[in-house]
Amino acid sequence: MVAEKARVLNLVQAINEALDLALARDERVLVFGEDVGQLGGVFRVTEGLQAKYGEKRVFDTPLAESGILGLAIGLAMGGLRPVAEIQFAGFLYPALDQILSHLGRWRHRSRGRVGLPVVVRAPYGGGVHTPEQHADSPEALLAHTPGVKVVIPSSPERAKGLLLSAIEDEDPVFFLEAIKLYRGVRAEVPEGYYTLPLGKARVVREGRHATLIGYGGMVEVMQEAASVAAKEGVEVMVVDLETLVPLDEETLLEAVRETGRAVVVYEAMRTGGFGAEIAARIAEGAIEYLKAPVVRVAGYDAPYPPFGAIEHHYRPNARRVLAALRRVLTY
Amino acid sequence: MKPKVIRYLDKGEFPIGEGEALALYRAMRRARFFDEKALLLQRQGRLGVYAPFMGQEAAQVGVALALDPGDWVVPSYRESAMLLARGLPIHVLILYWRAHPAGWRFPQGVRAVNPYIPIATQIPQAVGLALAGRYRGEGWVVGTSIGDGGTSEGDFHEGLNFAAVFDAPVVFLVQNNGYAISVPRQRQMRVDYIARRAEGYGIPGVVVDGNDVLAVYVEAKKAVERARKGEGPTLLEALTYRLAPHTTSDDPSRYRSREEEEAWRAKDPILRLRKALEEQGLWGVEAEEALLGELEEEFAREVALADQAPEPTPEMIVEHVYKEMGPDQRRAWEALRQGKHVEELW
């Protein structure tokens, strides 16, 4: 269901609107984390929500990520629908025990008695010269955790609908927001409450020569590369996965079968990253269609550089994607 | 100044009513009966790895019975006595320790969450559950339990701090049994009493003789009442001892002496209460025999029930990972159901 009117919003505004609508619609929804109340979040994503819904529904917590995740688990056990913010995805690490050992396991551990409808929002990714650990992309770590879902939107109108779906979902959902896109993208966003299905990938650009696959902050990089390629007559398909777990393998494989060439783009470190999973799925499900090996464009096997001056060498850009495209096209 | 260790037994004091005292005794005796039987079942290969609680009945039962039926317990893995006292049926507990899926889904009426292995992570979860009750106007109190070793974990401290900041209605029971498997309390921390830590969070800390169920029960009741009135959490440290190994795979003779064990055996919480009840004329040999007969019968019935649980099937592996199976679980479920996963190996 899609509302009628649309305005141009950035990602921060779209997510804020989704939270506002969720709080208004269901009193079981609580929003909390470090600095989300009075300050409105370090990125202002939760701006105005405490003033509107009060400190019972939108509140600041002590600075303790494991405590925040543990609190969210207990609140969900008690019948509420917590939406926790972790200030940066790289700050999830102190909470990994709660995530890996509990958040993803309770439904299984209790044979379905205890489901945890928790949403954890966290900004991730680089491109804006943040300090150390503020640009990490831990999506593969999360995707490797049974029992949780992982959603990474790439545009304001998608983010709004996907976040509302995540909050309605009966299982824990990690909702990662690319920092680079917060104020870097603007799009028409429908007014009112609407949801978009989790677990669906989408083809954002059609093409017949090669397929680019990525998500979140890499979608605009892939689009840019595809536009440049188009000028040379190369038609590149661009697939935005949006949901990493559950993965829409069907759409992914269909897109690769159409072109026979695939490049996977992600900004986490290369080894064991989510792109490795995509390459493996393609090998298992569509190898007979491949005219070239699947190529990954990713970060390097090193911590994300905390040095703004060289950060752009780490984070994949259109040039690197074009070079990879050339490789698969001339193989 | 050393905190006072609260104690009633062996001093001739009897601060609670007859009915309550007898209920505490029955619950402890029943739990001990289960523990002894569970160790036998384990040796017969009819239980998996098991964590006995023998010696800690007073701490667990005292807190469990201080809570109302509408309250919740968030236990650690040694809290079988607590779960039994909260009404978890014995056959479910047996199946739980058999690692049978049917024992991992607690019945809806039982307000206890599954125990699990990671240490101290239940502490912030208990706080969340308590706040949920307050938010919903249900007003339930949460009793959660941890061992002395668990208090070294970060989550213990994060959870206590959260509870204090939010005035969460939680009773934190620390069962200080002196050892984290083999590491003694002195090697675990430099404080003499864990309850002292409460001051650091701005909440009350109380030390009780953990083998004196009257002391545990009375102090737990006070803490529950405080929590229910909105006065926030309490840290209750129960000084106790596990008379048995850490688990059925452990050998305590490698790290503690027989003399130490014997000294604690003399402080057995069940014998101490029984003696007091006998002095009050509330208990005797006949009552004891009748109770043991009842327990024997109940246990036989419950074991039979547990034995009747159907053999788990391989496809259960991928059930209940999500509310609805995703494409990957669905595919695995079909393969497991048809036994095709076995062929995949070849």
Side-chain angles (χ1 to χ4, degrees), chain A residues 27 57 64 66-67 70 74-75 78 97-98 102 106-113 147-148 171 245 249 281, chain B residues 101 104-108 110 114 116 121 124-125 128-129 135-136 155 158 316-317 319-320 322-323 328 331:
Chain A
E27 62 173 24
R57 311 235 8 233
S66 192
L75 287 167
D97 196 9
Q98 289 290 351
H102 303 291
W106 263 106
R107 186 180 291 285
H108 196 251
R109 168 185 288 150
S110 65
R111 301 300 297 162
R113 178 177 164 187
V148 307
D171 289 305
V245 181
E249 192 177 288
R281 299 256 183 169
Chain B
W104 287 59
R105 189 189 172 98
F106 286 4
Q108 278 300 348
V110 179
N114 292 35
Y116 49 68
T121 40
Q125 294 172 9
L129 181 56
Y135 180 85
R136 294 175 54 186
D155 270 9
E158 294 192 17
M316 291 176 116
I317 290 170
E319 289 173 357
H320 302 301
Y322 299 95
K323 181 93 192 270
D328 292 318
R331 194 158 46 195

Side-chain angles (χ1 to χ4, degrees), chain B:
Chain B
M1 206 174 71
K2 282 206 165 197
K4 187 173 155 239
V5 179
I6 296 167
R7 171 178 302 130
Y8 295 104
L9 287 174
D10 312 334
K11 286 163 66 181
E13 291 179 44
F14 220 87
I16 61 171
E18 280 180 22
E20 286 171 292
L22 288 172
L24 287 167
Y25 183 74
R26 285 171 171 276
M28 288 204 293
R29 197 64 199 82
R30 179 165 174 262
R32 174 71 58 90
F33 193 88
F34 173 85
D35 205 42
E36 288 167 344
K37 290 285 186 187
L39 283 168
L40 289 177
L41 286 181
Q42 198 276 335
R43 283 183 202 125
Q44 293 166 4
R46 295 169 70 195
L47 220 61
V49 172
Y50 176 71
F53 51 78
M54 200 173 291
Q56 300 183 206
E57 290 88 349
Q60 296 187 22
V61 167
V63 171
L65 294 195
L67 295 162
D68 284 352
D71 294 333
W72 280 90
V73 294
V74 181
S76 184
Y77 54 78
R78 198 183 301 291
E79 272 74 295
S80 294
M82 193 178 242
L83 292 171
L84 288 173
R86 287 292 299 177
L88 186 70
I90 288 175
H91 69 274
V92 178
L93 192 54
I94 291 173
L95 287 167
Y96 175 82
W97 286 109
R98 275 182 187 171
H100 188 296
W104 287 59
R105 189 189 172 98
F106 286 4
Q108 278 300 348
V110 179
R111 290 208 156 175
V113 304
N114 292 35
Y116 49 68
I117 299 305
I119 304 295
T121 40
Q122 75 274 24
I123 301 296
Q125 294 172 9
V127 177
L129 181 56
L131 291 182
R134 183 168 77 194
Y135 180 85
R136 294 175 54 186
E138 305 244 1
W140 61 58
V141 172
V142 177
T144 187
S145 178
I146 192 167
D148 44 306
T151 68
S152 297
E153 290 273 4
D155 270 9
F156 173 74
H157 301 276
E158 294 192 17
L160 255 65
N161 189 45
F162 272 56
V165 165
F166 296 124
D167 286 323
V170 186
V171 178
F172 297 101
L173 167 67
V174 178
Q175 292 182 72
N176 181 355
N177 66 16
Y179 291 90
I181 302 189
S182 71
V183 180
R185 204 253 319 143
Q186 293 80 356
R187 185 85 193 192
Q188 196 75 234
M189 64 194 75
R190 294 298 290 265
V191 288
D192 49 0
Y193 290 96
I194 297 166
R196 273 192 201 282
R197 297 206 190 281
E199 195 183 337
Y201 303 106
I203 64 172
V206 179
V207 189
V208 295
D209 177 340
N211 284 19
D212 176 349
V213 74
L214 302 183
V216 178
Y217 180 72
V218 167
E219 290 307 315
K221 276 243 161 196
K222 287 186 204 164
V224 169
E225 205 175 307
R226 268 201 296 275
R228 215 181 297 286
K229 281 197 298 195
E231 292 170 15
T234 303
L235 176 58
L236 183 64
E237 178 182 10
L239 304 175
T240 184
Y241 194 79
R242 71 172 147 79
L243 296 169
H246 164 66
T247 70
T248 45
S249 308
D250 173 40
D251 173 12
S253 72
R254 293 170 71 101
Y255 54 84
R256 63 188 199 190
S257 68
R258 189 157 283 277
E259 294 74 47
E260 182 183 294
E261 288 180 22
E262 287 310 316
W264 277 97
R265 212 170 281 280
K267 298 185 219 167
D268 188 310
I270 296 176
L271 296 179
R272 279 171 74 191
L273 180 62
R274 184 176 167 182
K275 197 168 148 250
L277 289 175
E278 283 174 353
E279 281 165 8
Q280 302 270 321
L282 297 173
W283 201 251
V285 179
E286 264 177 48
E288 182 77 9
E289 264 178 26
L291 174 60
L292 288 179
E294 254 173 62
L295 294 176
E296 189 87 56
E297 223 171 87
E298 180 194 30
F299 194 82
R301 210 166 50 228
E302 293 287 316
V303 167
L305 266 180
D307 289 346
Q308 282 163 24
E311 192 70 18
T313 53
E315 67 267 24
M316 291 176 116
I317 290 170
V318 290
E319 289 173 357
H320 302 301
V321 180
Y322 299 95
K323 181 93 192 270
E324 277 160 41
M325 285 188 199
D328 292 318
Q329 286 79 29
R330 174 67 57 190
R331 194 158 46 195
W333 191 85
E334 291 291 348
L336 287 160
R337 197 169 60 93
Q338 295 167 23
K340 280 188 183 158
H341 62 296
V342 180
E343 289 159 32
E344 273 177 18
L345 295 172
W346 304 93

Side-chain angles (χ1 to χ4, degrees), chain A residues 138-163:
Chain A
E139 70 274 12
L141 213 59
L142 300 170
H144 195 62
T145 305
V148 307
K149 299 182 178 179
V150 181
V151 177
I152 310 182
S154 65
S155 74
E157 82 281 12
R158 304 295 301 174
K160 181 177 168 186
L162 289 167
L163 181 54

